[in-house]
Amino acid sequence: MGTVASTAVGERTGPLDRLRALHAEGRLAGAYDEVPGLLAELAAAGNPAGPPAPDLVRAGQLLARLDPEQVLREHPGTDTFSVAVTGHSTLSGLKAPLTAELARHGMLLKLHEGDYDSWYRDLQDTGSELYASGADLALCVLDSEIVFDELPHPWLVDDVERVTVAKLALIRQLAERYVTHGGGTLVLNTVPLLRSRLRSLVDSRSRARLGVVWREFNAGLLRLAAEHDRVHVVDLDPLIASSGPVNEPRLAAYAKVHLGEELLAGYAREAGHLARALRGRTKKVLVVDLDNTLWDGILGDDGPDGIAAATTYRGEAFGRFQKAVGQIGAQGVLLAVCSKNDIEPVRDVLRDHPDMVLRDGDFVQVVANWDPKDSNLLAIARKLNLGVDSFVFADDSPFECGLVARSLPGVAVVRLDEEPALHIERLLADGWFDLRELTAEDRARATQYRTEAARQDLMESAGSMEEYLAELGVEVTLSPVADHEIARVSQVTLRTNQFNLTTERLQQADVRARRDSDDGLVLAIRSADRFGDNGLVGVVLVSGVGADGGWHIDNMLLSCRVFARGIEEACLAAVLREAGERGAGAVHARYRPTAKNHRVRTLYPSVGFAETGEDEDGTVSFRHDLTGEQLPTPPAHVRLTADFGRPAS
């Protein structure tokens, strides 16, 4: 993070002051690379159990005044994210928090705002800006007036039921229309029932029935997300529980602001989490401290008998936090420990202490020493073959949190404090691990990483890399993706950065469309070895199958868990041989460089592709003529099964 811009603004050094100074001096666009770090500080200062910090929204007001094109001129590599907004009520309060939420996740918002109460027209008309903008997200913000505006006066619960049933059918129809004709993800929301509407019924039996009808309406909205890959529904109930009233009655009456500023800020935070997931920026690893983080007390000072995660009031709060961490770990997030302690006492506690919910085997790495924590995080990343930007670091020490935030800005830092009852809220507030859909591979990930230790032992005992690979017994299956694997393939494209030849991100609908096209192949790569099944670890995307111009490998991706085992060479050899047997004149491929995929720059040349050109953005084109002497053979240590037929459902 940079220093204060100018002495002209005095001694103010807070993150919001820094942003204001940069804006006043006309340098905010030029310093846009500082923005995520400054916003992270503002977000950390908020109440974890409540709406986003007010200063974060104020920062969004400054950022919303920037011209996105000016930011891109200053920082051409900035990731832009396009959002179209439509709805029933006045939604001007959404722009600032949405700008801030995307910016703190490294994305520059390009916003398309619809007219007041244009939601039906925008979704119905495929020529509207909602469709034409090509937005990544289409936010259709709903409120209770879409129902109550259509009720007679006076109204009965029967009237509400009739309107909600019809409205749900209409929204379902419009959602299907958007999924068919739109290019992004449609975001809907559950609709709050205002207390004033409920209390306008004088008998408790009618109120109870209205509650049932309204919940059935919202349940129907939530089910739309399960029915369509590109529909997401934000449940507003948890946001209302933490942010307070749905709206301010005077603004609702006079300005048609039916959802208040705090609720819209919470909604923007959820939209930011979704945008981050769609860009493949979901975090993969949670690294936690131990003393006053997983347990109450300091092991080195108090000894094993002096720490607690149960049996005391404070201890029980730490025990609840351990359960929350374990819950995350059970869903595919890798858990690791980074603690300033001696390793043997730590292992003894994790193995034998009666209070512990989490045990040694729940962590893929346990690092306890007296080295700086930023260097320990780098060591953990090397062990896991992951970038530190996939890490979340939770610690109660302001010093350690500050050190990691400054030296490793890609790490999401969760600053825990002296109140353990808030640890869970602080950890979960920013949805760092949010996914569109959890897969079987996610649930098995921790086990797969733990077996990596056995592979490392085999490698260290082998006389050479060739001997290690021969003893490893690598088995690879390459075949078209089946229906139940589509979510996993989409996830691979979203989350893989190192072995990703073009970094094209695909949603589930995109994968399905490619799989079902007449001239395309979506080939899933599955691997196993003597230590177990690695599951679906990669994908090859091919187009132009059967076309005169030859096959095109649009992208190839492989999980970092299976690097350097010959899997990629074996799969490319199979694709080239299949293309030749089907009469393709050539196979074309591209490599687009990023900050993380440099190690695969030479992949295509290594299997006989010739370079044919390079674009201004650095994208390199390749061609393989499929002549016999150029066709590669799979590495001898890989047992490959390739099937290019249509997949079974």
Side-chain angles (χ1 to χ4, degrees):
M1 192 179 302
T3 56
V4 176
S6 167
T7 55
V9 294
E11 298 300 319
R12 298 174 298 175
T13 58
L16 184 58
D17 294 320
R18 169 68 170 156
L19 288 168
R20 284 170 170 162
L22 289 168
H23 180 266
E25 295 170 0
R27 299 197 301 115
L28 186 53
Y32 198 80
D33 56 341
E34 289 186 41
V35 167
L38 294 170
L39 296 181
E41 289 188 57
L42 291 174
N47 178 2
D55 279 354
L56 187 65
V57 178
R58 295 185 183 101
Q61 292 168 347
L62 292 175
L63 295 169
R65 299 172 194 169
L66 288 176
D67 177 2
E69 298 305 323
Q70 182 184 359
V71 175
L72 291 173
R73 285 193 296 271
E74 299 278 358
H75 302 278
T78 304
D79 186 9
T80 59
F81 197 89
S82 177
V83 179
V85 176
T86 189
H88 175 263
S89 67
T90 301
L91 297 171
S92 55
L94 185 57
K95 182 176 183 179
L98 189 60
T99 302
E101 292 293 343
L102 289 178
R104 77 184 185 101
H105 297 312
M107 291 174 278
L108 177 67
L109 174 64
K110 287 192 172 182
L111 185 64
H112 309 271
E113 297 180 274
D115 296 331
Y116 169 78
D117 194 18
S118 62
W119 70 278
Y120 172 75
R121 182 177 69 251
D122 289 342
L123 282 172
Q124 176 68 21
D125 180 9
T126 57
S128 71
E129 187 71 10
L130 200 68
Y131 291 87
S133 65
D136 298 295
L137 286 182
L139 307 183
C140 178
V141 186
L142 305 173
D143 61 76
S144 62
E145 298 310 298
I146 65 170
V147 172
F148 284 97
D149 280 353
E150 297 189 14
L151 296 182
H153 175 75
W155 55 268
L156 302 172
V157 177
D158 286 343
D159 299 314
V160 176
E161 184 171 27
R162 172 179 50 80
V163 172
T164 54
V165 168
K167 193 68 67 175
L168 181 60
L170 173 63
I171 293 170
R172 175 176 282 106
Q173 173 195 338
L174 294 173
E176 291 171 351
R177 190 175 187 83
Y178 183 84
V179 167
T180 302
H181 300 285
T185 295
L186 175 64
V187 180
L188 303 169
N189 58 272
T190 59
V191 179
L193 176 62
L194 297 178
R195 182 177 183 274
S196 59
R197 297 295 191 181
L198 185 67
R199 300 299 295 185
S200 65
L201 296 172
V202 298
D203 67 297
S204 59
R205 187 177 295 274
S206 294
R207 290 174 186 166
R209 184 165 169 240
L210 177 60
V212 170
V213 167
W214 205 264
R215 284 166 176 80
E216 288 175 346
F217 175 45
N218 279 328
L221 290 170
L222 288 166
R223 289 190 189 99
L224 292 177
E227 296 172 12
H228 301 287
D229 294 339
R230 290 195 292 114
V231 176
H232 181 84
V233 181
V234 177
D235 190 349
L236 293 190
D237 280 354
L239 302 184
I240 294 166
S242 64
S243 68
V246 173
N247 59 32
E248 203 289 316
R250 289 165 295 186
L251 287 174
Y254 302 132
K256 308 301 181 187
V257 180
H258 296 304
L259 300 178
E261 290 184 0
E262 287 191 354
L263 183 54
L264 287 177
Y267 174 94
R269 181 164 59 185
E270 297 299 311
H273 298 172
L274 177 59
R276 189 178 59 213
L278 293 176
R279 279 292 192 265
R281 298 187 178 195
T282 295
K283 302 294 185 180
K284 301 175 182 178
V285 184
L286 172 60
V287 184
V288 292
D289 179 38
L290 295 176
D291 293 333
N292 292 320
T293 297
L294 283 192
W295 57 61
D296 187 19
I298 299 174
L299 179 60
D301 293 341
D302 304 322
D305 294 335
I307 64 173
T311 69
T312 69
Y313 287 123
R314 278 180 60 84
E316 288 178 357
F318 288 95
R320 288 192 294 272
F321 182 63
Q322 286 196 33
K323 288 181 180 179
V325 171
Q327 176 73 15
I328 291 172
Q331 298 170 85
V333 175
L334 303 178
L335 305 180
V337 165
C338 182
S339 172
K340 285 193 171 176
N341 264 300
D342 293 322
I343 186 63
E344 289 308 321
V346 165
R347 290 204 181 278
D348 288 343
V349 168
L350 291 176
R351 185 175 56 247
D352 300 325
H353 198 289
D355 284 7
M356 295 300 112
V357 175
L358 296 171
R359 293 299 183 186
D360 195 26
D362 293 310
F363 300 98
V364 294
Q365 289 285 310
V366 176
V367 176
N369 57 37
W370 301 95
D371 295 337
K373 289 197 174 182
D374 54 346
S375 63
N376 278 336
L377 290 179
L378 289 171
I380 293 171
R382 285 192 295 271
K383 287 274 190 179
L384 298 177
N385 199 18
L386 293 170
V388 289
D389 59 352
S390 64
F391 281 31
V392 174
F393 173 64
D395 199 302
D396 68 298
S397 165
F399 170 80
E400 302 293 357
C401 289
L403 172 68
V404 171
R406 286 190 300 274
S407 61
L408 303 174
V411 175
V413 177
V414 177
R415 163 74 170 93
L416 306 175
D417 59 20
E418 63 281 355
E419 179 47 78
L422 293 178
H423 281 7
I424 296 174
E425 295 287 353
R426 293 192 183 280
L427 176 62
L428 302 181
D430 281 311
W432 294 115
F433 307 108
D434 287 1
L435 294 169
R436 188 69 180 88
E437 182 176 341
L438 197 67
T439 67
E441 283 81 3
D442 290 323
R443 296 187 184 278
R445 183 173 293 114
T447 300
Q448 291 166 348
Y449 270 90
R450 280 192 288 271
T451 61
E452 196 60 33
R455 294 185 181 92
Q456 292 294 325
D457 290 342
L458 176 62
M459 180 185 293
E460 292 170 6
S461 65
S464 65
M465 179 59 73
E466 291 75 16
E467 181 182 333
Y468 161 69
L469 291 173
E471 292 188 26
L472 187 59
V474 179
E475 299 180 7
V476 177
T477 300
L478 180 70
S479 63
V481 62
D483 284 344
H484 71 276
E485 296 173 318
I486 285 176
R488 170 60 180 163
V489 169
S490 172
Q491 187 183 85
V492 168
T493 73
L494 292 172
R495 303 182 70 181
T496 302
N497 296 301
Q498 296 181 64
F499 200 117
N500 188 335
L501 274 296
T502 64
T503 64
E504 181 183 7
R505 312 296 184 182
L506 300 177
Q507 304 303 318
Q508 292 184 40
D510 303 321
V511 175
R512 186 175 288 105
R514 280 177 169 268
R515 195 274 308 267
D516 295 341
S517 69
D518 293 333
D519 70 342
L521 290 172
V522 180
L523 302 169
I525 303 171
R526 309 164 193 85
S527 78
D529 56 41
R530 62 182 284 186
F531 296 105
D533 187 356
N534 292 304
L536 196 157
V537 295
V539 61
V540 184
L541 299 161
V542 182
S543 63
V545 177
D548 294 337
W551 287 23
H552 292 260
I553 299 178
D554 297 322
N555 202 3
M556 182 175 185
L557 308 99
L558 197 65
S559 168
C560 57
R561 289 187 287 116
V562 295
F563 279 2
R565 298 179 191 173
I567 293 173
E568 58 270 33
E569 291 90 346
C571 290
L572 284 175
V575 170
L576 292 172
R577 189 164 299 279
E578 180 73 11
E581 291 177 357
R582 293 198 190 186
V587 173
H588 307 273
R590 292 179 303 120
Y591 163 76
R592 187 173 73 85
T594 69
K596 296 182 179 181
N597 72 353
H598 56 87
R599 67 187 299 169
V600 295
R601 168 64 174 82
T602 60
L603 174 64
Y604 288 129
S606 73
V607 292
F609 282 80
E611 186 173 324
T612 58
E614 183 172 341
D615 297 341
E616 290 184 1
D617 66 355
T619 298
V620 184
S621 300
F622 298 94
R623 175 187 173 100
H624 199 296
D625 289 327
L626 303 176
T627 56
E629 62 271 15
Q630 290 180 321
L631 284 176
T633 57
H637 67 272
V638 176
R639 188 164 65 188
L640 173 68
T641 302
D643 174 12
F644 290 83
R646 282 320 221 176
S649 296

